[in-house]
Amino acid sequence: MTQKNRLIGGQIDRNATLNFTFDGKNYTGHPGDTLASALLANNVRLMGRSFKYHRPRGPLTAGSEEPNAIVELRSGARQEPNTRATTAELFDGLSAKSQNRWPSLAFDAMAVNDRFSNFLTAGFYYKTFMWPAAFWEKIYEPIIRKAAGLGSLSMQTDPDEYDKGFRHCDLLIIGAGPAGLNAALIAGRSGAEVILADEDFRMGGRLNAETFSVAELEGADWAAQTAAELSAMPNVRLMPRTTVIGAFDHGIYGAVERITDHLAASPTGKPRQILWRIYAKQAVLCAGATERPIAFENNDRPGIMLSASMRAYANRWATTPAQRVAIFTNNDDGHRTAQDLHAKGVKIAAVIDTRPDAPSSMDYEVLQGAQVADTKGRLGLTFVEVVRADGTNRTIECGALGVSGGWNPNVQLTCHQRGRPIWKEGLAAFVPGGTLPSGMSVAGAAVGTFTTHGALKSGADAVRKALGLKGRAPAVPEAEDAPVNQTPFWYVTGCSRAWLDQQNDVTVKDVKLSHQEGFRSVEHLKRYTTLGMATDQGKTSNMGGLAIMAELAGKSIPEVGTTIFRPPYTPTAIGTLAGRMRGKEFHPTRLTPSHFWAKERGAVFVEVGNWLRAQWFPLPGETHWRQSVDREVLATRSSVGVCDCTTLGKIDVQGTDAAIFLNKVYCNGFAKLAVGKTRYGLMLREDGIALDDGTAARLAEDQFVVTTTTANAARVYQHMEFVRQCLMPQADVQLISTTEAWAQYAVAGPNSRKLLQKIVDAEFDISNEGFPFMACANITVCGGLRARLFRISFSGELAFEIAVPSRYGDALMRKLMAEGEEFDVTPYGTEALGVMRIEKGHAAGNELNGTTTALNLGMGRMVSKAKDSIGSKLAERPGLNEPDALMQIGLRPVNRDDKVTAGGHLMNALGPVDAAHAQAYVTSAAFSPTLGCMIGLGFLKDGGNRNGEKLRLVSPVTDLTVEVEVVSAHFVDPEGERVRA
Amino acid sequence: MIINHPLLGPRDSAEFVYLGTSNLMDRPDPETATPEDWHDYAYLRDNPAGPHRELWFHEGGDRSILIVTRDTTTHEISSVELARNPGAQV
Amino acid sequence: MHDLTAITALGGIAPQVDTVGEVTLSEVPDVALASVAARLRKESTCAAQLKALLGGPPPQAGRAKLGEPYAAVWLGPDQWMLSARFETHQDIAAQVKTKLGDTASVTEQTDAWCCFDLTGPNVRAVLELLCNIDLLRFETGHATRTSIHHLGCLVVCLDKGQSVRILGPRASAGSLHHAITTAMASAL
Amino acid sequence: MRYSGFKVIKEALTGHKGWLPAWRDPEPKAHYDIVIIGGGGHGLATAHYLASVYGQHRVAVVEKGWIGGGNVGRNTTIIRSNYLLDGNEPFYEFSLKLWEGLEQDLNYNAMVSQRGIMNLIHSDAQRDAFVRRGNAMILNGADAELLSEAQIRQEYPFLNFDDARFPIKGGLAQRRGGTVRHDAVAWGYARAADRRGVDIIQNCEVTGFRVENGKCLGVETSRGFIGAGRVGCAVAGNSSRLMEKAGMRLPIESHVLQAFVTEGLKPVLPGVITFGAGHFYVSQSDKGGLVFGGDIDGYNSYAQRGNLPVVEDVCEGGMAIMPMIGRARLLRMWGGIMDMSMDGSPIIDRTHVDGLYFNGGWCYGGFKATPASGYAFAHLLARDEPHETATAYRFDRFRTGHMIDEKGMGNQPNLH
C-alpha cells in the first residue's frame, strides 16, 4: 500500500490504478483523484514554493482558489506552467514538476530570501537600485528577472488545437452544487432551454465533499442522481469541466470547456479546450463560497490548509494530509471537519476554537477560547503552538492543521460589470450587490445562504423568478439546515509574519507597512504590496488584507471597500481565446481567379491584405527577382502583358439617382458622364483628405461600376453606404459589391488590342474608333460568354481591362496565354504593375496615405467648385493650402547608378540635414527597366515649381545619402499618346 | 454587446462597425454653412457620459446603418432605429 | 456556345465532397445568383413582381423562400438574393431584370459566392463551432447573414437540424472549406 | 527623507519604524497660485516640474479619488519615441530623455527599463512607411534601427516565422524604448512634488469652475471652493465631462481600451514587441507576467470594461505571432478610458477662459508622454506660452487644417 494516507470511502474508483510522477518520482492514484489528492494520499505535503521568499508550500485548498500547490504539468511542447494540482484531474502517465525552485523542491537555494525577508519588505525595490542609473538594465534588473516568474513556458509552438463556439439558452446556471442542481431541475422540467455549467469534473459541488444527506440520500448520490435525470432532458445541456470565466454586456458569458485536459493525449482533430460564448436570456449564479483562512504566525507551512478543504479531501477523495491533524476555527464548520476525519479514523489532536463557548466533543479535545500562536516544521507542519484561554501555552503535535475562518460568497461574476458587492454584517462577508449584470440572479452560498436546505431553496426560488414560473413551488428536498454563526476573526493578535497572500508572500506586517507609508486605499494597498495579484486572484487573501487595513484606518471593512473582481474567473489559456485563428488560418485567404493557373506557372505570391497575388512569374534561369520583373515590364511595354487585377474593389451602383450620388462622393464631376464611358475619380473624406481613387464606368443611364483600390475596397463601400443611408436617404440608389463575381484582367501593351480581337466576339468593334480610350461596354467573348470590357490603363500603355464571371477566369487566362503566343504575351505580377505605375506617375497606397489632399497629389484642379461633394469644403482650410504645400513629384538619381529609397527624406542640396530642414519625403521607388535607373515618386514642398532642382535624398536608417533631381512624375509617355493609340 | 436590430432582432455587436455619433447625419448645408459650422460638425463631440445616439453599421448583416441610443456608462441600450428612416415602426 | 471551361470555387472541375461520420459537406457549383434591390418609391410594385416570379410573397427579414425555379433570401430592407439552377439560368440577372424592369436594381452575384451544403444528423454540433446562430430556433426556411471564421456568409436552413446551405465569399472558398471541415472533425 | 539602499538596510535592522508616508494628506488651502485638476501621472508630473523647474511652490493637485487610479495605473507600461510626424517626434523624444533620468530626479525607482521596442514589418508598403518613420526619428535626434528578417530571427527566435499568415519581413527597433513600473511613476512624482511643498489633495472632486468676466478664479470642489491664479486640467478619461463645466465641447471621444496580463512566467521576452498587422503588442513585467494589448473596443464608453470580441482579437494576434504562448494563462483583463482626439494627437493649450488650461486627448499614448506632458504643461502654466516641443498641440489646429495624424485615419477617433 503505497498510498499511506488513503482513507475509506470517497468518490474514487479503486478498481483502477493510475501511475504518475511528480518531480520524477513515481506514485499511484485512482480515477476521480486530482493531482493534489493523489499526492496527499501518497503522504506528499510539499508541492511548491512561494514567489518571493521561496517558502515551502503545500495545498491550502481543494479547488480553483489554490495559491500554493501549482506545478508544471506535462512536458515538452505541452508543458503547462502554474497548473493547480488541486484541480488537475489525474490520468495514467501524468507527469508534473514543481516550479520556481533550484536545485530541488526540498532544497531551494533561493529560500535564502526568507532569511533576508526583513530587507525585502513590501515595495523595497522602489527605494533602492537607483545608482548608478546604467546599472538597472545591466545588473539589478537581470537579477530580479532571474528570480521572477513562477512556471516556465516550453518556448515551443503549442501543439494542441482549440475551438470557439456559440451557444444560446433561456437560462444559464453557473455552478452545479445543491443550489445549481435544484435550479436546473426546476428549469428543466419547465421546458426552458437550460445550460448547467460547472468547473468541476463531477457535478455536485460541496455535496461531494460533505456527509450531509439530501432527500434521504447521501448528498453525493443525490447529486449524481439529479445530474442523471437532467442529462435525460433534451432541453437541458450539462457542461461539466466548464468554467464560466466572464459575464459580459447584455447576457453574453464566456465559458471554457476542458475537453481533453484529463486525457493523456488529445485524439486527432479534437480540441484541448473550447471557448463558448453563451448567450443567455437569464442566468443564475450558484458559484458557492470560498472558505477563508485565519492569519497567524507561520500559517503557511505544508500541512496547514483550509478546514473544509481538508474535509473535502477526506470525504470525496478519501485522503488526509496527515494521520494526526488539528483544527483551528472560529465557527462550527471547523468542527464538522474534525467529526468527518475522526469518523474516517484520522486522529484529531485537538480542535482549537477561538470561541470561549465553543461546543465540546466526546471524540476529541476542544480547546475553547484558544488561538494558534505559531507553528513548526521546515518542509511540513510538525507542531502548533497554542495559547489557551487562560493565557498558558501548549504545544500540539500534528502533521496537518485545518483552518476555518468562515466563508466568503463567490461574488466574482457579479462584479464583472462593475457591480460592487455589499457588506453583510450578520455574515461578516461581502454578498452580491449593486447592479448585477443584466439578467443575472444569485442563489445559494454565493448569496450567503450557507445551509444545504437554504441553497436548494434559493436555487429553486431564483429560477422560478427568472423564468416567471407560476403555481405552487415544488417541495424542497430534505436537507440539513443548521444555523450558521459566522463571527469575524481575521488574525491572531500580535502576529507579523502571518501570511495573507501565500503565493505572493504578503504578510500582515507588509499591510501594516503599506498603511504606515500612506498606501491606504485598497487600490494602493493591492498595488504596493501585490496582495491579491497572484494566480489565485486574491480569492483567499483579499478579505484578510482588507480587514487589517480597516482596523489600522479605524474604519469598517465596507468603508475601506473591496477591489473589483475582473474577468477571467480563473486564469484562461491564451490558446483557448484564440481558437483556430492562428498560423496560416489567422486570417482568411482570398485567392484570385487565376491563382491555380499562376501556381502552375511557378508564380511567386505575396500577401496583399487577405489576398494572395502573383508577385512575379520567374522563368527558368532567372535567379534574381529583378530579372523577372524587368522582363515583365519590358515585354508589356514592347508587346503585351496580362495581369490579374480582380482584387480591385468593384461596387455596382444603380438607381435613377446613381449619377447624382457619385457626384456627391467623388470630388470631380460625374453627372454628365456619357453611357459607355469611364472616368477617373478621386474620393475625399469629409475632412478634405484623399480617401481613395479609381474609375467609374457608366454601363447604363442608371448603372455604374465603381472600382476602388484593393486596400480600400471595404472602407469605400462602407463610406458609400454612409452617404447613401445617412446623407442622401431620399436618393434612389442601390449598392452592392461585385468584387469577386468577376475575374478581371488587365491586358496592356501595344499589342493588347490585337490579342483581345482574337478573344472578343467579332460583332464587337474594339478598334480605336469603335472603342476609344476610356470606353466601356458589355460584350461577349470566346463565342458568347458574357463579359465586360473597359479601355483604361494603369501601366500607361494602350490597355484594356476585361472581366468574365469568376468561374471562367482560369480558362480565360489560359486562353489569353494561348492566343497571345504569337505576341510573346507575358503574364506580369504586382511588382511589374508597381514599376509601371511609378513610371507613369500614378498615385497608389503609398501616396494615398491618409494625410494627402487632392492638391498634394497634383489634382487640386479636379475638385469641382461647381458642386458640393464630400470633403470639398474642409479641403479649403488654409493649413491644407499653404503656398509651399507638398506636391507630388518625380525623382531620379543624378548619378544613374545611385539608389532611390522609399521612406527617404528630401533635403536641399546645401544646408543642415535634420527634421527642421526636411523638404518632405519619397513615397515610392523602383528600378525602371524602361529608363535604366532607379526612379521615385515623392512629395516636395512647393514641388510644382522646383522641376530640375537638385536635392539630397537622405535615409540614415538605411545608411543612404544620394543626390537626386526633381523631374515630372510622368516618366513614361507624359503626353499620354500611347494610351490613346 | 447585443443590439436589437429593428428588422433582425438581437444581434451581436461584433457584426457591426461603429461609425460614431449620430450627429454625423446632420451635415451642414453647403449653401449656407460657415467654416465654423464645418469645423464643429467634423471635429467637435458631445461625448456624453450617459445616453448617446450613435451609428452602428451592420456590415456583417443586412448593411443597414442603425441609430442606437446607448448609455456610455452602463452600455445599456434604450432604442434602436434604422438611420434611413428614423422612428419608423417596423 | 463558348469554349471556356468553368472551375469550381475550390479550383476543381468536379465539386468537392467531404464526409465525417454521418455529416456530408458538398460544394454546390450549380447555383446562379442575382441580387434584387427595389428602387426607391417602387418597393410595392417590385414586391408584386417578385411575388409573381417566386409564386409567393418575397421573404421577410431573416427568412428565405425555397422553391423552383427561383428561390429567394432576404438580404436587407427591400433587398433579396435570388437563386436558380446555373444550368438553366447562367444569365439570371438579365432574366430577372426583364421581369422586374425599372422597379428594381438587379446585379449578377453568381460568382461572387461559393456554395456548400452541409447535411446529416447533428449538423447543429458543427454549426455551433462556426457561427453565432441561435440553432434552437433556426427553423427550416430561416436564413441569416453571419460570420464564419471572419468570413461574411449567408446561411440558409433547408431542413432544421438536418441540412443547411452556406454561401460564402468565393475567393475565400478554401478558407471557408477548411473552417467547416475542421469543425466537422472536431464536433463529430 | 531620502530613499537609498542604506536607508532600506537601516530600517530593516530597526524594525521599519522610520518609514514616513510617501506623501502628506493635507487639507486644501483657500488659494493656490496654480491648481491642477487630476492626480494622475500627467497631473502629478505637472506639479513636480512646476515645483522643481519653474519654481512654483503654491501648487495643489486635486484628485477626486486616489492618486494614480486612472490610466497611469492601468496601462501596458510602454515607453518609446518612435513617431513619424514633426509635430510629435520632438515631444516624445523629449519625454524619453526625461524618463532616462527620472529615478535620480525623483529619488524613486520606477524601474525604467530600456530593453527596447520592436515593430514588426510584414509587407513592402509597411517597410516603406517604417523607413520613413525611422528616418524621421533619427533626423529628430532619436534612435532607430531597421532590422532584417535574419536579425529578427536571431533576437526573437520564438516568433512565428515559418507558419505565418503574414510572414515577418523585418522590423523597426528603438533600443531606447522599453517599459516602466507604471504605478511607481504616479507615486514617485507625488512623493517628489510633495517634498517640494505641493499639496496633493485626494478624495476632492471638482464640481465646477468659478469664472468671472472671462477669468477663472478657482474651482468648486466637494471640499469647498479652492481659489487659484491658474487652473490646469489633466483628467484623461474625463476631459469632456470636466470641460463641459467650462462650457466647452472638445474634439475628443472617450473609448475603452482593454489590457491583459498573464500569470507569472520565467523571463521569455527581451523587450517590447508590436505586431501591427495583428493588433497585438506585448512585453514582460519584472514580476514575470506577459503584459499585452491591442486595439480599442471601438465604441464610446466610460465603463472601464470591454467585451469578448476584442479579447479574442488580441489573443488571436498573440497566437499568430507567438504560438508558444498558447498555454500561458490570461490572469486579468481590465479597461481604461482613452480620450481619443480627432487626429490621434494630444492637446496642451489655453482655453477660451482666461487662466484655464487644458491637457488631454492622449488617446492611448498618454503613459509614455507623462514626463514631457507634465513638463510642457508646467511650462504653459508657469509662462503662459507653449513649450517648444509642444507648439503643435493646439485646439485650433482642426480649424486651420494643421492636423497631426500619424495613422492617416482622419476625424474618426476610434481608428487612431
Side-chain angles (χ1 to χ4, degrees), chain A residues 660-681:
Chain A
I660 295 166
F661 175 78
L662 290 184
N663 224 30
K664 180 71 75 176
V665 294
Y666 283 115
C667 69
N668 51 320
F670 273 83
K672 302 191 185 62
L673 181 64
V675 174
K677 287 287 181 206
T678 308
R679 179 172 292 169
Y680 174 84

Side-chain angles (χ1 to χ4, degrees), chain A residues 244-286:
Chain A
V244 174
I245 57 168
F248 299 95
D249 281 314
H250 308 154
I252 303 173
Y253 294 81
V256 173
E257 182 178 14
R258 298 180 300 281
I259 305 292
T260 63
D261 278 337
H262 60 295
L263 306 177
S266 307
T268 48
K270 300 300 178 195
R272 176 187 164 218
Q273 301 181 344
I274 301 177
L275 172 73
W276 292 105
R277 295 81 129 204
I278 299 175
Y279 293 69
K281 296 188 178 66
Q282 300 285 327
V284 179
L285 180 68
C286 307

Side-chain angles (χ1 to χ4, degrees), chain D residues 85-98:
Chain D
L85 301 177
D86 293 340
N88 278 328
E89 182 56 17
F91 175 85
Y92 285 98
E93 176 55 20
F94 176 55
S95 200
L96 192 49
K97 288 202 171 69
L98 289 171

Side-chain angles (χ1 to χ4, degrees), chain A residues 369-539:
Chain A
Q371 301 183 4
V372 173
D374 201 351
T375 69
K376 293 198 167 39
R378 193 173 73 81
L379 297 178
L381 183 69
T382 52
F383 298 94
V384 297
E385 293 289 340
V386 178
V387 181
R388 279 183 297 196
D390 60 11
T392 58
N393 285 26
R394 165 152 162 208
T395 303
I396 294 172
E397 180 173 14
C398 57
L401 177 70
V403 181
S404 176
W407 294 81
N408 291 327
N410 290 328
V411 301
Q412 286 87 348
L413 285 163
T414 69
C415 303
H416 285 181
Q417 291 169 34
R418 301 185 69 81
R420 283 282 201 307
I422 52 174
W423 182 255
K424 196 164 177 186
E425 204 56 54
L427 289 176
F430 282 105
V431 297
T435 47
L436 299 185
S438 57
M440 181 191 280
S441 52
V442 193
V447 77
T449 309
F450 289 144
T451 72
T452 311
H453 171 83
L456 292 161
K457 181 169 188 318
S458 74
D461 296 346
V463 161
R464 291 170 52 79
K465 194 152 175 293
L467 297 178
L469 301 182
K470 302 276 171 278
R472 268 185 68 254
V476 177
E478 205 49 49
E480 65 83 28
D481 200 11
V484 178
N485 53 346
Q486 185 157 300
T487 55
F489 186 89
W490 308 107
Y491 66 99
V492 172
T493 329
C495 67
S496 85
R497 294 201 82 204
W499 269 258
L500 297 165
D501 186 322
Q502 297 213 359
Q503 187 181 120
N504 275 356
D505 283 318
V506 181
T507 65
V508 170
K509 190 170 135 191
D510 295 309
V511 174
K512 287 178 173 169
L513 180 63
S514 156
H515 180 269
Q516 178 183 337
E517 297 196 69
F519 296 89
R520 297 172 184 181
S521 83
V522 177
E523 288 300 317
H524 285 167
L525 169 67
K526 183 178 86 181
R527 291 150 186 272
Y528 193 63
T529 62
T530 74
L531 176 83
M533 309 286 268
T535 62
D536 57 311
Q537 300 156 309
K539 290 190 178 73

Side-chain angles (χ1 to χ4, degrees), chain D residues 275-299:
Chain D
F275 172 37
H279 319 145
F280 176 79
Y281 61 90
V282 64
S283 66
Q284 187 169 22
S285 78
D286 283 340
K287 239 176 134 264
L290 300 178
V291 181
F292 61 101
D295 283 355
I296 56 177
D297 271 40
Y299 44 82

Side-chain angles (χ1 to χ4, degrees), chain C residues 55-140:
Chain C
Q60 297 298 312
R63 297 290 185 270
K65 169 133 185 8
L66 310 174
E68 294 283 338
Y70 289 106
V73 175
W74 185 90
L75 279 185
D78 303 304
Q79 200 185 354
W80 298 268
M81 180 77 82
L82 267 57
S83 67
R85 307 255 342 253
F86 183 79
E87 259 182 48
T88 52
H89 293 72
Q90 287 216 23
D91 57 345
I92 181 169
Q95 291 192 37
V96 171
K97 181 69 178 171
T98 54
K99 300 268 187 3
L100 302 181
D102 68 357
T103 70
S105 296
V106 181
T107 304
E108 172 164 346
Q109 286 285 306
T110 303
D111 284 351
W113 302 84
C114 58
C115 180
F116 295 96
D117 283 354
L118 185 67
T119 49
N122 213 5
V123 156
R124 175 178 159 186
V126 180
L127 280 181
E128 69 181 2
L129 290 178
L130 291 171
C131 54
N132 184 6
I133 297 177
D134 183 352
L135 297 163
L136 302 168
R137 296 169 175 80
F138 198 52
E139 308 293 335
T140 303

Side-chain angles (χ1 to χ4, degrees), chain A residues 249-250 279 686 725 868, chain B residues 2 12 27 63 65 75 84:
Chain A
D249 281 314
H250 308 154
Y279 293 69
E686 192 65 272
Q725 296 183 44
D868 168 60
Chain B
I2 295 176
D12 193 299
R27 189 169 181 264
R63 300 191 64 82
I65 296 177
H75 296 171
R84 213 172 177 194

Side-chain angles (χ1 to χ4, degrees), chain A residues 249-250 252 279 664 686-687 717-718 721-722 724-727 729 731 868-871 873-874 877, chain B residues 1-2 12 17 19 24-25 27 30 38 41-43 55 57 63-65 74-77 83-84:
Chain A
D249 281 314
H250 308 154
I252 303 173
Y279 293 69
K664 180 71 75 176
E686 192 65 272
D687 67 356
Y717 189 16
Q718 172 186 319
E721 282 290 7
F722 170 75
R724 183 180 82 96
Q725 296 183 44
C726 296
L727 302 183
D868 168 60
S869 65
I870 303 292
K873 284 293 185 301
L874 283 162
R877 287 175 289 175
Chain B
M1 291 193 289
I2 295 176
D12 193 299
V17 176
L19 301 181
L24 290 169
M25 295 174 70
R27 189 169 181 264
W38 284 102
Y41 166 73
Y43 290 106
L55 301 173
F57 172 44
R63 300 191 64 82
S64 288
I65 296 177
T74 63
H75 296 171
E76 187 186 338
I77 293 173
R84 213 172 177 194

